Amino acid sequence: MSSTSSTSSTSLFTAHSALTPHGWDEDWADAFAPYAAQELVPGRVVRVDRGQCDIVTADGVLRADTAFVTPHDPLRVVCTGDWVAVEPDGNPRYVRTCLPRRTAFVRSTSSKRSEGQILAANVDHAIVAVSLAAELDLARIERFLALAWESGAQPLVVLTKADLVPDPVTLGHLVQDVETTAPGVPVLPVSAEQGEGLDVLAAVVAGGTAVLLGQSGAGKSTLANALLGEDVMDVQAIRDVDGKGRHTTTTRNLLVMPGGGVLIDTPGLRGVGLWDASSGVGQVFAEIEELGRDCRFHDCAHESEPGCAVLAAIDTGELPERRLESYRKLMRENQRIVAKTDARVRAEIRKEWKRRGAIGKAAMEAKRGRVR
């Protein structure tokens, strides 16, 4: 970086230092420098609603239209957490561009459509909220974690409503079950009602941007209020029958936490479809990926191939069969969504089908030859 550009970004950072609690730093100032010459101002999107958004700037929150920012690509639309260049005045004001994202949390909108939906941008920590009021759904946790790892954020599983499991031994077993499901991911039991575990959680996410994810009824809004120190998010009681509730949060909101850092709360997610998350799946199932390196064949599918180290680990009990089934399911799903959008991948899949078909045909012909 030249001394001129360094001085420019430093002065920009200082001029808009009021944005520091929202995550503004010298790198963002450097990225914004080209737009400062156009007399645009930097800001962070705190809420998006029907083609308009609320943006926090050094001079306060303003409302702007997003029509100029590639509205036809669902992954390029303005979303909560984006840093943008916006007009300082006008009626209406317009967002002129989004700064390049550091991270992006994306899911598939539907398993039948090849579209991705961006949920939050520029996130450092992905908090996956899981309620202990209902039976743990380990497969769903794995799905959330795959998207979190793929986004570039650091996942964290928070087991909410820990006060409903008063026996410390039982609680310890539940934490251990999730830790096994989430290698390399911190797992923290929290009771927002009793304040247990909140100080640790706040310390982990302080100084960065955290997005709060989970199903409806997972206690996200209660957890958000506890982290924010006030009742900002509406809370509704969950059903006693299944531990679920209605969507309390209907939009994604970015809010500053008193202990430092910002929090993006999201609506409860019923569907959590993968979106080109092969590396994320690999990180969730790191032990399977590691075992796979010792398979006899480099392209082993871990189904019935001889010399498969993964299947051997199943036989010895080293690897739970449920983990392998979940891994297969998420990899197949991810392959389908990628194939819908990538012609090269579709061609590779067809080639693999033909290869396996040829192997099967050759095996059948050899068998017939032996019978004769």
Side-chain angles (χ1 to χ4, degrees):
M1 184 187 295
S2 68
S3 59
T4 302
S5 61
S6 177
T7 301
S8 175
S9 62
T10 300
S11 61
L12 275 172
F13 170 72
T14 303
H16 301 279
S17 59
L19 286 170
T20 302
H22 288 85
W24 180 250
D25 57 30
E26 291 200 13
D27 288 334
W28 287 120
D30 187 46
F32 180 77
Y35 306 104
Q38 303 173 30
E39 298 186 347
L40 300 174
V41 297
R44 193 167 196 190
V45 178
V46 297
R47 177 188 173 102
V48 178
D49 182 27
R50 298 180 182 178
Q52 292 190 316
C53 61
D54 293 336
I55 302 169
V56 61
T57 70
D59 295 323
V61 177
L62 55 82
R63 187 82 164 163
D65 196 293
T66 64
F68 280 98
V69 187
T70 322
H72 303 299
D73 183 347
L75 298 184
R76 296 281 301 279
V77 298
V78 176
C79 79
T80 303
D82 269 327
W83 284 96
V84 298
V86 63
E87 296 173 342
D89 50 34
N91 188 18
R93 289 186 177 94
Y94 288 97
V95 174
R96 288 295 174 174
T97 192
C98 283
L99 301 187
R101 291 163 176 157
R102 294 177 181 174
T103 62
F105 195 99
V106 181
R107 69 165 176 173
S108 174
T109 53
S110 169
S111 60
K112 297 181 181 179
R113 294 162 56 192
S114 56
E115 289 185 1
Q117 178 191 19
I118 182 164
L119 298 177
N122 302 312
V123 171
D124 301 297
H125 306 279
I127 304 173
V128 179
V130 180
S131 173
L132 290 178
E135 185 176 353
L136 288 177
D137 186 341
L138 299 179
R140 180 169 288 272
I141 294 173
E142 290 163 343
R143 181 177 291 270
F144 270 111
L145 291 175
L147 293 180
W149 278 123
E150 191 68 31
S151 75
Q154 169 64 51
L156 167 68
V157 177
V158 173
L159 302 179
T160 65
K161 308 178 185 180
D163 54 289
L164 298 180
V165 187
D167 178 27
V169 175
T170 301
L171 182 60
H173 287 318
L174 292 172
V175 171
Q176 188 174 28
D177 286 345
V178 178
E179 287 176 337
T180 302
T181 300
V185 177
V187 179
L188 180 64
V190 167
S191 170
E193 293 290 336
Q194 298 184 2
E196 296 175 358
L198 290 174
D199 54 343
V200 178
L201 175 58
V204 170
V205 300
T209 297
V211 63
L212 193 51
L213 306 159
Q215 288 183 285
S216 183
K220 298 190 307 302
S221 294
T222 300
L223 183 59
N225 286 337
L227 289 171
L228 295 166
E230 56 182 316
D231 292 340
V232 176
M233 312 306 297
D234 290 334
V235 178
Q236 293 179 349
I238 63 171
R239 297 190 296 258
D240 292 333
V241 176
D242 55 11
K244 297 180 181 179
R246 291 176 293 173
H247 294 295
T248 304
T249 305
T250 57
T251 59
R252 287 173 282 279
N253 304 279
L254 186 149
L255 300 156
V256 176
M257 292 183 285
V262 294
L263 180 69
I264 300 176
D265 194 18
T266 64
L269 300 176
R270 290 193 180 93
V272 194
L274 298 185
W275 177 259
D276 195 4
S278 58
S279 65
V281 174
Q283 284 182 276
V284 174
F285 298 93
E287 79 277 32
I288 296 179
E289 298 268 308
E290 182 68 26
L291 286 166
R293 295 188 182 96
D294 294 328
C295 290
R296 181 181 302 176
F297 304 110
H298 71 87
D299 58 348
C300 184
H302 317 311
E303 293 179 351
S304 58
E305 296 88 342
C308 175
V310 174
L311 294 180
I314 294 288
D315 291 339
T316 62
E318 177 186 353
L319 178 69
E321 189 169 358
R322 187 206 68 79
R323 286 281 285 173
L324 180 57
E325 288 300 318
S326 185
Y327 173 75
R328 288 170 174 164
K329 180 179 180 180
L330 292 183
M331 289 297 284
R332 286 195 300 265
E333 179 182 328
N334 190 70
Q335 190 177 52
R336 284 196 300 270
I337 194 66
V338 172
K340 288 180 181 180
T341 58
D342 192 323
R344 179 185 58 81
V345 173
R346 288 198 297 272
E348 289 179 354
I349 292 173
R350 284 195 293 269
K351 183 178 178 180
E352 176 64 13
W353 285 343
K354 289 180 180 179
R355 185 185 73 84
R356 293 194 180 193
I359 292 173
K361 183 178 180 181
M364 287 298 296
E365 289 177 351
K367 184 177 181 180
R368 288 169 182 163
R370 288 196 298 271
V371 171
R372 292 195 190 109

